[in-house]
Amino acid sequence: MSSALRDSGKLNEIELAITGMTCASCASRIEKRLNKLDGVTAAVNYATEKARVAIPADLDPELLVEQVEAAGYQAELPRSEPDDKEAGEADDDPARSLRQRLIGSAVLSVPVIALAMVPAFQFTYWQWISLTLAAPVLAWGAWPFHKATWANLRHGAATMDTLISMGTIAAFSWSVYALLFGTAGIPGMTHPFELTVQRTAGDANIYLEVAAGVTTFILAGRYFEARSKRRAGAALRALLELGAKDVAVLRDGVEQRIPTGQLAVGDRFVVRPGEKIATDGTVQEGSSAVDASMLTGESVPVEVAAGDTVTGGTVNAGGRLVVRATRIGADTQLARMAKLVEDAQSGKADIQRLADRVSAVFVPIVIALAVGTLAFWLGAGGSAAAAFTAAVAVLIIACPCALGLATPTALLVGTGRGAQFGILIKGPEVLESTRRIDTVVLDKTGTVTTGEMSLVDVHTTEDESEVLRLAGALENASEHPIARAIARGAAERVGELPEVEDFGNVEGLGVRGTVHGRVVLAGRTALLEQWSQHLPDSLATAKAAAEARGQTAVAVGWDGQARAVLIVADTVKPTSAEAVRRLRGLGLTPVLLTGDNEAVARSIAAEVGVDEVIAEVLPKDKADVVGRLRSEGKVVAMVGDGVNDAAALAKADLGLAMGTGTDVAIEASDLTLVRGDLRAAADAIRLARRTLGTIKGNLFWAFGYNVAALPLAAAGLLNPMIAGAAMAFSSVFVVSNSLRLRRFRGTT
């Protein structure tokens, strides 16, 4: 327990795992109940099924569990040593159970709906076959809705589950009554195509297709939602997977390969070229270049030597290092970043499902109308059968068959169309924020730029081809990321590079070697000056100008003279400027956010047309910047690709991850742009907004048809054909409206 609590002065913070929630209003109900406790501040997240609670130090955490259970849900305090296998199985249960119910209900419901809708299929005793098939759908398939309804009703609440449960039970119960005690069970009974409006006792009408169909449609929506929710914790798992799995630790001067989890503070361990650094530490021996771009966003590798600090999860791109561990486990920067992502996800404002928001008002009205209808007809001297028929008809017609299709069909078509353009939408809950977005924060490295160092310019006093041939050959023998960029650029311009002899690395300064009998130097100007090779004024000016732009300048010399300056930089993607223009066209204000220095950021921003720049920020600062923008009243979208962007992606109102980036960023985001083309961000927002508009239109018409028929039902004038036609037509309209999303055209 102690590991789960964080002392913050007067308060401790604890995280509860909540189960039993079926909609966002459930999370709100739990949150209100917890916040009623003295000194307690709680935030419940429906998507992650967790509650973050700040409690007084003297408060027993078990009281929190009691309060959640009193509200009709289940809560579990964190365990110090969670059983990963058990947790994984628990994570699978909701989606697996819903999948089983969905498949079983669909198989049984299809013939029920077909028999009810197609008179030609209505053979003798068809109604009894329908009853046999519909019964398990209502009892087993719809059980989650019945269970949630009972829990909600006990606390005086009504949600979408209430409407589904009451409507399906009413439809099924009346069908059973009509079959057993009315005339619906006689041999040869059919549902005639009659549009006459007349008062009837209703004992010849059955609504089994309503009970079975609505259950199946809603289960489909819940299943896809559950699948999406299971990924809520995947960002944390992917982040922790970045760490090294084992490490070569030095014990009595001998290397021993052990799991990283067994490292202790003070242990010395070896990191060879290409290996991940196992944990945070200080370099004891050796020098190298460390690629920290995944964590810091810096596109230029960091030179490290004895005495410098290194971060676990970064990659040793150069020589052999011996590092002394200074932080392990939860204290490392990687683990702290995982905590940032988790905090951002838990603190993200819940987006209430549209159907639940409408149901909160619609359900009580329908129930009141049904009770009022029953009382009116009984008070007016009508027969009990006619009064009950009218009341049940109100519940039946209010059960929104099309509502089950409203969100799933629009999401299915919208996400399918998006996938064709390289846009992956994770779920319906991410769509609402796209309409309100007014600011888009763009990560620089890997999002606006390629994220790779490239040779961008050559300044020389000699023949350029000769410079590239000699410098490229020398750098081709090095493993340094900047050297690889020069070698790659040289090979692209002059073709095959010659061999190098007597190659050597000059620690912290550069490299030297012999190419075609010439001793070639490449690196810092200090290296060339050691050989009495000083840059002429033209090259010194070019070098200073490049460094002022935040670019990296590599001096090259041979035969006693400095001959060239090679400029290396992270280059802007060809489509980024156009993408920024399109984002502005959507009414968004772009902001460039980067861990690189101010000069680099300003140069890139000017090239793509971004006015506001926030540079030199750490991973935690990125999430803080997003939080600050939101606190200023802005609705923020974040576009990024790296581990260092994960917390900001989770914190933003809308997170868009480049699919060419890391799994951590993708899992923490709401939308994924598969191609890595920033123009897809504008397309994604356009498509999400259109999909949201379609869902809202579907919901309006789904409820509209039901509301229009409610007066007929209350007046006792509802007959099976009108009810069936209204429900069928509303469903057809919803599906047709959703299919219009197939006409969406991307601009990339």
Side-chain angles (χ1 to χ4, degrees), residues 476-550:
N476 197 37
S478 173
E479 295 180 346
H480 196 287
I482 292 177
R484 290 199 297 268
I486 293 175
R488 185 171 58 250
E492 290 172 354
R493 301 187 191 191
V494 301
E496 187 176 353
L497 301 174
E499 295 294 325
V500 62
E501 300 174 353
D502 299 327
F503 174 83
N505 179 60
V506 183
E507 184 174 327
L509 295 178
V511 292
R512 60 173 295 278
T514 303
V515 184
H516 289 328
R518 294 171 170 172
V519 177
V520 183
L521 305 173
R524 301 181 187 274
T525 53
L527 173 63
L528 274 67
E529 289 170 354
Q530 287 181 2
W531 291 64
S532 299
Q533 299 179 14
H534 299 277
L535 291 179
D537 291 342
S538 60
L539 295 183
T541 300
K543 175 178 180 293
E547 291 177 341
R549 296 190 299 270

Side-chain angles (χ1 to χ4, degrees), residues 1 42 44 381 452 521:
M1 173 67 67
V44 181
E452 295 182 356
L521 305 173

